[in-house]
Amino acid sequence: MAPIIQVPVEHTLNILENVLKKRTHITRVLKEREEQMPSGEDYDQMEVNLDNEPFLQPLDADDTKASIYYARQKWTKYCIYRHLGDWRTAIRKKNCGKGKMMLFLHWICKTSLAKRRKPGSNRSLHTYWRDFKMLYRRVNGEYVDANNRLEVVKYIDGTLKPLFELRTTSKSKPVAGPDDLLLLLVQLWARDESVFPTEDDRHDVATIMLFQAYTGGRPAEFVHASKGKASEDPLGEREEANKNARPRKATHCDHDEDSDADIDGETECDDDSNADDGPGSDDDMIFDSEDDRSDDGTPDEDMDEYSGSDSGYNSDRTDVTMTEDTDKCYTTEIDECGEPLRQNLDAAKLSEFEEVKRQYKALCYEDICLWIVQNPKRGERDLLAMEVHLRNHKGVDNKPKPTTFLFRENPLPILCPISHILTRAIRDNAVLVDGYTSAEPFFATDLGSQNIKAMKVHWKPEWLKRPVFRRSVWTTNGWVKSKTEPMPYSKYAFYLNRLGRDAGFEDRLTSYCFRRGCANAIDGKASDAVRDQVMRHNPLTGVFNEAYNNQAVRFNVQDAYLESDITDDGLTRAFTHMSIRCNPGAPKEVPREVMDRLLAADPEIVVLEREFKESHTRIKWDYTFINRAPKEVREAHKKLGQQLKAATKSLEDELEAEHRKDYFYYIHNEMMKRQLNRPLNETVAEEEAEPIIEHQLEERTRLQLVLCDLSKNLSPQAIVARKVSAVNLQIALASRKELMTRQRRPSPTCKNPLKGQSPICAPAPTPALDPLPPASKFPLVFEKTQCIFCIGNEALSYGQRTRKFRRPSHMWDHVENIHLRNVPAEQRIICHHPICKAEGLILDGVMLFKNHVATVHEVRLRPNVFPR
């Protein structure tokens, strides 16, 4: 019999009083609504207004609104090109016949698809046509004429496809299996040399990968996938209203190169989409079809923002703390204690009884329910279980299909989603009950002694509506982890693409690789109803067979035809996944000296560089500074720079893709030659142990030993000890920061963690990490080439905190470009030296801060030549 726990009388009384107050509040609201009840005459007027309304706009999803927005942008540019006047007038039914529609698609081929250096896609053109039909319907209130639709489709397939040589081949759809997942996780934790803004991001990427593999969820179910302004005003009504209100500030309705890139990227659909032209396909395709456009359509444009030296995180960042909401510039102020101040984005305050609403469509803490369950086997420890409620699936606004998944513990911490979520919850301090600040209490419970079957872990109320996976934002203290802003999909897609490239995958790694892997794993093992439930597909639609079924047949057809025993030699499993085409030696990038030589030989880039340098020299000669030049001159100079950057980026991407493709082609030929020259009597050499990378952070070096220990033949006590060590080390690592200057230092004496050897032999507690060095270890007067901010950054190692620059000018550049970037001159700044920080010393402004550093610490910083 379960024990009876007495609830304090005061607690019960407070709860019941709140119920009464809430009931009274609701009664008052209901009376106010009753008083505002429309009269019969009001209903008559409302009926007349509704009868006069020609067309009610449908409730479109964000993706649909974005598609309409980009179609309007294209149509507006086409109207300007042909001098057709206002775009609304040109698309009216009486003005828009099938000839105009056909020529619009011809213009798209000429201006967009034909300008690409590789053949355009016929499916992309069909997607342009589909989006135009949706725009047509929302302006005219009716569908495009059925005969005109058929004629346009015949024009696309019969005229435009051969004229512009549009490709009809489908893209590859790689499937990530369990071996691929494990290989990627080992790469992420142990071998990855890329730097994240914060180590929290590394942990979040690993957790999302596990969730996607185990649930088959789309990325938008875990991270934020907003379309931005494209989904807010698809028909431009708000934009036109603003122009009418301020006619003097109206601008030309054209778009720059960035807009073109976004439009092209949105319409480059994946082959999962269905581009038929049946009646009603304008909208039904968006709501019902399973076109996984985000698989290969948008990431190309998303990558541009983060291209270059490790996603732009090649600077020496600083403090890694947790921050509350940040403003649109991603900067925040600090209080007297040096902590970021919370900034409330909502102007209106919620009432006492009003429920807090979720601001983002992403996985939040209220969607996760962590349980501690009594083990059915007597004498064994309690088990951890986790329910994850996924609600932000595709079409959730119109056809909600919430799905709950149950997760169990995995003996390997690297594959255990519960351990990862436990790390995130402890790191966020989200557990309601005090005392659960490490992994040990969760694995040391004994529910059987109290005759309790299960115990639920509650989260703090302020964390329930907050996203689990959040972005890193830039503040005056460097990159920090936001507490409210979710991780955007573009960031997650970039991290995945970089991880797959660094791991040596031949195919591009996308989030849908895991979704396909989950769908193919459960196909045949579970019923079709369960498979459709897991994938959030409508039943009996055949979406799995059309879009997700592995292109490589998962069956030994040869033996089946020969009526012989179906052999399980492992080849079918190997060739239906990605890792067989993985080569860790694949080049990550073209050597810099080769790339520079090729860029200098490209005629287009040479011309743009010459024009840009001439423009820069001319502006410097005429105006001394770029910012003093007239607006037209500055915009022309900026446009030249953008064209040069785009041309350089395009050529670099093309060269890197071809370089990588040639490597995978060449390596197999070279291996075949070596096999011919191999001595016949050569003995098989023992495989050398792979050296372990000594990372900058001690926490990561220790963590890779624990996570990459794949041995399963351990005692239950050793398995628990390994999990506790993994969680505690992940928590410690999440609060640290790596710099871009990390060097690989192999340690041949260390054991290879992939050989199945366990670094944990007994249920010993997690070894304590070296404590933070005391403030006395940092002298008050330090050298003139050391950074005052880095010295006080506890997220860095001692060597990184005390590092020295070659010259004082280099240190000045570092301070100005990294730590004082976008800091107003009047903003209060805390001195980050450990001694001054312990005393709570805050300076009123940048100049006073620099004077303090010069007088107290005897280190000069760059004086301000111009006011900030």
Side-chain angles (χ1 to χ4, degrees):
M1 181 178 178
I4 299 177
I5 300 178
Q6 296 292 338
V7 180
V9 178
E10 296 80 4
H11 177 81
T12 303
L13 184 60
N14 291 334
I15 295 297
L16 298 181
E17 287 179 351
N18 288 334
V19 172
L20 181 59
K21 292 179 181 179
K22 186 175 182 180
R23 181 180 177 85
T24 305
H25 173 74
I26 294 177
T27 302
R28 184 176 66 254
V29 172
L30 291 177
K31 288 183 179 180
E32 293 176 356
R33 292 178 182 176
E34 186 177 355
E35 295 174 357
Q36 299 174 358
M37 180 71 181
S39 62
E41 292 77 7
D42 294 335
Y43 273 106
D44 293 339
Q45 184 61 41
M46 292 165 61
E47 181 180 355
V48 172
N49 295 338
L50 290 175
D51 289 338
N52 295 332
E53 186 72 26
F55 177 69
L56 296 178
Q57 295 292 340
L59 300 177
D60 295 325
D62 289 344
D63 286 345
T64 306
K65 293 179 182 179
S67 299
I68 297 172
Y69 173 85
Y70 293 122
R72 178 176 65 86
Q73 298 280 61
K74 283 288 186 184
W75 177 252
T76 302
K77 298 179 72 172
Y78 175 70
C79 294
I80 294 174
Y81 179 78
R82 287 197 56 190
H83 307 287
L84 299 178
D86 181 65
W87 72 270
R88 287 183 180 273
T89 304
I91 204 175
R92 291 292 180 185
K93 182 178 180 180
K94 60 181 180 180
N95 300 327
C96 189
K98 67 177 183 179
K100 186 172 293 185
M101 299 177 189
M102 293 176 180
L103 292 179
F104 172 58
L105 297 176
H106 185 279
W107 177 82
I108 287 179
C109 292
K110 271 289 188 182
T111 57
S112 297
L113 301 183
K115 284 188 175 182
R116 299 175 182 173
R117 298 184 182 273
K118 60 180 181 179
S121 171
N122 185 53
R123 188 170 294 275
S124 296
L125 189 58
H126 276 280
T127 306
Y128 277 114
W129 168 234
R130 181 199 66 183
D131 296 344
F132 175 81
K133 289 187 295 182
M134 292 191 295
L135 177 65
Y136 180 95
R137 184 195 171 201
R138 279 146 185 80
V139 174
N140 293 281
E142 56 184 280
Y143 291 100
V144 178
D145 181 74
N147 183 65
N148 289 346
R149 289 204 301 264
L150 296 177
E151 291 296 314
V152 172
V153 171
K154 289 189 289 185
Y155 179 73
I156 292 175
D157 296 333
T159 302
L160 297 181
K161 184 173 72 173
L163 178 62
F164 294 97
E165 300 179 350
L166 302 179
R167 56 180 173 85
T168 57
T169 56
S170 61
K171 299 178 182 178
S172 62
K173 295 183 178 181
V175 177
D179 295 339
D180 306 321
L181 175 64
L182 183 58
L183 177 62
L184 290 168
L185 291 174
V186 171
Q187 170 71 26
L188 179 66
W189 289 112
R191 304 194 186 106
D192 189 21
E193 299 181 19
S194 301
V195 174
F196 288 83
T198 64
E199 285 300 312
D200 278 303
D201 289 339
R202 187 188 304 276
H203 175 270
D204 286 350
V205 170
T207 310
I208 299 173
M209 289 169 58
L210 290 176
F211 273 146
Q212 282 204 278
Y214 297 158
T215 66
R218 294 182 175 87
E221 300 186 62
F222 307 102
V223 296
H224 191 49
S226 173
K227 296 294 183 178
K229 67 175 184 179
S231 61
E232 296 174 358
D233 188 24
L235 297 180
E237 297 173 349
R238 194 181 310 165
E239 179 182 347
E240 293 175 359
N242 294 336
K243 287 183 178 181
N244 295 332
R246 295 175 295 180
R248 294 182 180 179
K249 295 185 179 181
T251 55
H252 197 269
C253 191
D254 203 349
H255 309 279
D256 56 14
E257 299 295 332
D258 294 337
S259 297
D260 288 341
D262 290 339
I263 296 169
D264 297 341
E266 289 298 328
T267 53
E268 183 69 22
C269 66
D270 185 47
D271 295 311
D272 296 346
S273 63
N274 178 14
D276 61 2
D277 199 64
S281 61
D282 303 19
D283 304 315
D284 296 340
M285 285 176 55
I286 294 296
F287 296 144
D288 297 335
S289 69
E290 298 294 332
D291 56 330
D292 302 326
R293 296 175 55 182
S294 58
D295 187 3
D296 298 304
T298 56
D300 286 340
E301 277 63 40
D302 292 336
M303 293 307 103
D304 292 345
E305 181 183 356
Y306 312 104
S307 61
S309 307
D310 260 332
S311 180
Y313 305 132
N314 54 342
S315 301
D316 299 339
R317 305 307 184 191
T318 53
D319 301 346
V320 183
T321 58
M322 302 293 291
T323 180
E324 298 287 345
D325 298 348
T326 55
D327 57 17
K328 297 302 180 182
C329 299
Y330 304 118
T331 60
T332 184
E333 298 180 355
I334 57 176
D335 57 15
E336 284 74 7
C337 300
E339 296 298 329
L341 289 174
R342 175 167 182 170
Q343 301 176 12
N344 193 358
L345 298 180
D346 299 329
K349 240 187 171 182
L350 293 175
S351 66
E352 182 182 358
F353 305 101
E354 188 175 354
E355 184 180 359
V356 180
K357 296 182 180 179
R358 296 171 64 153
Q359 296 183 355
Y360 305 100
K361 287 185 177 180
L363 186 70
C364 296
Y365 269 97
E366 66 177 353
D367 300 325
I368 299 178
C369 183
L370 183 62
W371 290 86
I372 302 178
V373 185
Q374 181 181 349
N375 198 323
K377 300 179 181 179
R378 291 184 176 274
E380 297 189 9
R381 71 170 183 89
D382 298 333
L383 301 177
L384 292 177
M386 182 172 62
E387 292 178 311
V388 177
H389 185 72
L390 299 183
R391 66 179 74 190
N392 298 315
H393 56 84
K394 185 176 181 180
V396 62
D397 296 330
N398 299 283
K399 299 177 181 178
K401 296 189 288 284
T403 309
T404 302
F405 291 88
L406 177 63
F407 293 93
R408 300 159 179 84
E409 290 187 53
N410 191 290
L412 299 180
I414 196 172
L415 296 176
C416 182
I418 296 180
S419 299
H420 285 68
I421 287 297
L422 199 60
T423 301
R424 171 53 52 211
I426 297 175
R427 165 72 173 144
D428 292 339
N429 193 21
V431 181
L432 179 61
V433 180
D434 296 334
Y436 288 83
T437 56
S438 62
E440 286 82 355
F442 291 93
F443 293 92
T445 58
D446 187 6
L447 301 183
S449 62
Q450 300 180 2
N451 201 14
I452 299 176
K453 292 185 178 180
M455 181 173 61
K456 184 178 180 180
V457 179
H458 288 282
W459 312 121
K460 292 181 179 179
E462 62 269 20
W463 280 98
L464 292 178
K465 305 291 183 180
R466 294 181 180 179
V468 178
F469 310 112
R470 302 179 299 280
R471 71 185 303 166
S472 294
V473 296
W474 177 257
T475 70
T476 53
N477 291 335
W479 288 104
V480 297
K481 196 70 170 178
S482 172
K483 283 190 177 180
T484 56
E485 298 182 24
M487 176 183 291
Y489 166 66
S490 57
K491 280 279 189 181
Y492 175 60
F494 165 74
Y495 291 146
L496 277 187
N497 179 54
R498 184 180 69 179
L499 180 62
R501 180 199 62 199
D502 294 347
F505 279 24
E506 182 177 5
D507 297 311
R508 180 179 181 180
L509 180 65
T510 65
S511 58
Y512 274 76
C513 296
F514 302 110
R515 179 168 168 81
R516 297 190 198 101
C518 178
N520 285 271
I522 62 178
D523 182 48
K525 299 179 182 179
S527 62
D528 291 349
V530 174
R531 184 196 65 199
D532 291 339
Q533 180 189 20
V534 171
M535 302 300 293
R536 272 75 83 197
H537 290 163
N538 292 326
L540 304 177
T541 55
V543 175
F544 170 79
N545 294 327
E546 292 182 7
Y548 292 96
N549 200 3
N550 200 330
Q551 294 177 345
V553 179
R554 297 173 290 140
F555 186 74
N556 191 342
V557 182
Q558 175 182 330
D559 288 351
Y561 178 81
L562 296 175
E563 298 182 357
S564 59
D565 295 336
I566 307 298
T567 59
D568 185 14
D569 53 6
L571 290 179
T572 301
R573 182 174 182 271
F575 278 90
T576 52
H577 294 153
M578 301 172 64
S579 55
I580 195 173
R581 298 175 179 85
C582 174
N583 192 314
K588 301 177 183 178
E589 57 187 8
V590 179
R592 193 68 253 175
E593 58 275 8
V594 178
M595 179 69 75
D596 293 339
R597 186 169 68 250
L598 295 174
L599 291 175
D602 184 74
E604 179 185 5
I605 295 179
V606 170
V607 173
L608 288 174
E609 280 185 342
R610 186 181 67 251
E611 294 177 354
F612 182 76
K613 290 180 180 179
E614 292 175 354
S615 174
H616 184 271
T617 304
R618 186 167 55 253
I619 294 176
K620 283 284 191 178
W621 178 265
D622 295 339
Y623 307 101
T624 307
F625 297 102
I626 301 293
N627 292 336
R628 293 182 181 178
K631 182 179 180 181
E632 297 78 10
V633 177
R634 283 188 281 111
E635 289 181 350
H637 180 72
K638 181 179 179 181
K639 187 175 182 180
L640 272 177
Q642 291 175 344
Q643 292 176 352
L644 175 60
K645 183 178 179 180
T648 304
K649 180 66 169 58
S650 175
L651 180 56
E652 287 179 348
D653 291 344
E654 187 175 351
L655 291 174
E656 289 180 359
E658 191 62 29
H659 179 51
R660 192 175 178 86
K661 180 181 177 181
D662 178 71
Y663 173 84
F664 283 100
Y665 178 82
Y666 175 84
I667 193 67
H668 294 287
N669 298 334
E670 185 64 24
M671 287 189 292
M672 292 181 67
K673 294 178 182 179
R674 293 185 180 183
Q675 289 298 315
L676 291 177
N677 300 328
R678 178 177 58 87
L680 297 179
N681 298 327
E682 182 181 7
T683 58
V684 179
E686 294 184 2
E687 186 177 356
E688 296 182 359
E690 181 181 352
I692 298 176
I693 300 177
E694 290 290 340
H695 300 282
Q696 290 182 32
L697 303 176
E698 179 188 1
E699 293 86 351
R700 190 178 174 194
T701 302
R702 292 192 184 185
L703 180 61
Q704 71 175 351
L705 292 173
V706 178
L707 291 182
C708 297
D709 169 28
L710 307 182
S711 55
K712 297 183 179 180
N713 54 344
L714 301 177
S715 64
Q717 294 80 8
I719 292 178
V720 172
R722 182 171 59 181
K723 285 187 178 181
V724 171
S725 299
V727 173
N728 289 337
L729 287 172
Q730 283 179 310
I731 296 172
L733 177 63
S735 63
R736 305 301 298 274
K737 175 72 177 72
E738 286 187 327
L739 298 181
M740 194 61 191
T741 56
R742 183 178 72 241
Q743 297 179 355
R744 297 181 60 179
R745 296 193 301 270
S747 178
T749 60
C750 297
K751 295 182 180 179
N752 183 4
L754 300 182
K755 296 298 181 181
Q757 298 174 347
S758 174
I760 301 176
C761 302
T766 305
L769 295 168
D770 293 337
L772 293 176
S776 59
K777 198 170 183 179
F778 300 93
L780 191 63
V781 177
F782 50 91
E783 298 192 27
K784 60 182 180 180
T785 56
Q786 290 179 306
C787 173
I788 179 65
F789 290 92
C790 293
I791 285 180
N793 189 357
E794 297 178 355
L796 303 178
S797 64
Y798 177 77
Q800 295 167 351
R801 295 173 67 176
T802 58
R803 62 181 177 146
K804 302 174 185 177
F805 291 84
R806 293 185 178 180
R807 297 190 183 97
S809 60
H810 294 175
M811 184 271 291
W812 290 0
D813 294 337
H814 167 79
V815 170
E816 295 293 332
N817 298 330
I818 303 301
H819 300 293
L820 296 181
R821 185 179 63 178
N822 298 328
V823 177
E826 67 279 0
Q827 179 169 314
R828 304 178 69 192
I829 301 179
I830 186 174
C831 180
H832 288 267
H833 192 280
I835 298 177
C836 298
K837 190 174 182 180
E839 298 175 354
L841 179 62
I842 299 180
L843 289 311
D844 294 329
V846 176
M847 289 303 300
L848 291 179
F849 168 75
K850 292 184 175 181
N851 291 336
H852 164 79
V853 175
T855 56
V856 176
H857 304 290
E858 299 183 6
V859 174
R860 291 184 55 211
L861 298 179
R862 176 172 294 153
N864 292 336
V865 181
F866 299 101
R868 290 176 178 267

